């Protein structure tokens, strides 16, 4: 993962191949002490909550996205 600085409190992060994100901020904080808000283009989303039957990948509100350069913003807890 490569990181480049953007505007204040923003960075551009290069994610490889596929990555997993959550749509629930509280769930994100369970995975670490640093959480980013990520802007993902719709065309890069492979899987999102609601695409599969209830119970499959639904517990963590998980999204699977294709790699690429994404704008991220640090979130405060």
């Amino acid at each position: 993962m490569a990181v480049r600085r953007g505007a204040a409190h923003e960075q551009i992060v290069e994610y490889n191949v596929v990555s997993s994100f959550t749509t629930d901020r509280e769930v994100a904080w369970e995975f670490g002490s640093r959480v980013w808000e990520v802007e993902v283009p719709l065309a890069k989303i492979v899987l999102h909550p609601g695409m599969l039957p209830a119970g499959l990948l639904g517990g963590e509100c998980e999204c699977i996205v294709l790699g690429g350069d994404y704008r991220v913003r640090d979130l405060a807890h």
Side-chain angles (χ1 to χ4, degrees):
M1 176 178 3
V3 178
R4 296 186 305 267
R5 293 280 176 209
H9 304 290
E10 290 187 350
Q11 301 172 38
I12 304 297
V13 176
E14 178 184 1
Y15 288 94
N16 295 323
V17 191
V18 295
S19 296
S20 174
F21 297 99
T22 180
T23 59
D24 185 326
R25 285 185 181 194
E26 292 305 313
V27 170
W29 287 109
E30 294 173 7
F31 287 92
S33 60
R34 185 172 186 188
V35 173
W36 288 339
E37 180 179 83
V38 181
E39 294 181 20
V40 178
L42 185 59
K44 294 277 193 163
I45 299 173
V46 176
L47 181 71
H48 65 83
M51 284 183 71
L52 297 176
L56 294 176
L57 297 176
E60 295 173 348
C61 301
E62 187 173 16
C63 292
I64 306 296
V65 303
L66 297 175
D69 290 347
Y70 295 114
R71 177 170 285 125
V72 302
R73 184 173 63 90
D74 280 319
L75 296 180
H77 189 38

